Amino acid sequence: MRNQHNPAATQPQTHPRQFKQRLLKLVLFCGFLILFIFLLARLDSRTADNHKPWHTNFTIAAFEPNGSFLALPYSYVQQHPLANTTFLAKNPEGSKEKNDSDTFSYKVIQQTAQQQLVQTSLRTSHSITVATYQATASTVTPIKSTAYTIDQISMAAVLALISVLALQFLYRFLRRRSPYHQQTN
């Protein structure tokens, strides 16, 4: 008796080796993507030493006497004196929504009696900007700002794809040149 029509028999079968190769490519792509996002952000980092202008989303926390805080752009703080505020946090960390979709958070990393090392994060729909600064009651001294933007993600994806394709080409090239592969052909 002939085998009845089997839909599974007409579908192309993926060999376990092909599946493993595709999975490896996906894992490599994701790893390269993360690596390149961090590398691109690091290349764009701003510090007092590299003399690049601070990121526009460099945001600091200014604390009011009641313990609440404002999330203010560093450029605003440079140009406007703030009355009845301090840059020293009473709480070691805090967060709040800024506008409707932005989130701001701060964390005190180190503290002495007169100053604090503070790290802030401003998350918007287009970027995440992480800033570190030294704060006293009346001053802010920027140390570093790093922005992770959508543009960097696109560029990182292109670089990750190129890297995976280059590794695939290199693997095939070396495999063709290997003595074992030449003997089996």
Side-chain angles (χ1 to χ4, degrees):
M1 182 172 199
R2 290 190 111 181
N3 192 1
Q4 296 294 325
H5 178 68
N6 182 359
T10 61
Q11 294 177 357
Q13 298 294 317
T14 303
H15 299 305
R17 184 174 178 195
Q18 286 178 328
F19 176 76
K20 288 178 183 178
Q21 288 175 345
R22 289 180 182 161
L23 183 62
L24 177 62
K25 288 177 190 176
L26 178 64
V27 168
L28 284 171
F29 176 81
C30 292
F32 279 127
L33 179 67
I34 292 167
L35 174 69
F36 285 125
I37 287 171
F38 283 102
L39 286 175
L40 290 169
R42 185 173 172 107
L43 286 172
D44 188 45
S45 285
R46 315 294 168 88
T47 65
D49 294 337
N50 68 18
H51 304 291
K52 293 180 183 177
W54 298 107
H55 290 102
T56 55
N57 281 344
F58 187 122
T59 307
I60 57 116
F63 300 90
E64 297 180 328
N66 66 3
S68 66
F69 68 93
L70 303 169
L72 300 172
Y74 176 66
S75 58
Y76 179 86
V77 173
Q78 285 180 299
Q79 298 170 4
H80 300 87
L82 301 174
N84 298 323
T85 59
T86 179
F87 297 114
L88 294 177
K90 291 180 182 177
N91 297 319
E93 58 186 57
S95 67
K96 68 182 343 182
E97 280 201 27
K98 186 179 179 206
N99 304 329
D100 288 333
S101 61
D102 301 348
T103 304
F104 174 79
S105 63
Y106 76 88
K107 183 176 184 177
V108 177
I109 299 171
Q110 287 181 334
Q111 181 168 343
T112 63
Q114 305 281 318
Q115 58 186 351
Q116 295 174 336
L117 182 63
V118 181
Q119 184 176 57
T120 63
S121 174
L122 177 63
R123 295 174 181 263
T124 68
S125 59
H126 298 67
S127 67
I128 300 170
T129 304
V130 178
T132 306
Y133 60 88
Q134 192 74 41
T136 67
S138 60
T139 63
V140 171
T141 306
I143 296 173
K144 183 177 182 180
S145 71
T146 304
Y148 302 92
T149 65
I150 289 181
D151 296 341
Q152 291 169 340
I153 294 171
S154 324
M155 179 61 82
V158 169
L159 292 171
L161 180 61
I162 291 169
S163 298
V164 170
L165 292 174
L167 281 176
Q168 181 179 354
F169 175 78
L170 181 64
Y171 172 75
R172 288 181 180 169
F173 176 76
L174 292 175
R175 196 164 160 223
R176 285 187 193 128
R177 295 196 48 152
S178 74
Y180 174 76
H181 188 263
Q182 290 175 355
Q183 289 173 359
T184 59
N185 284 341

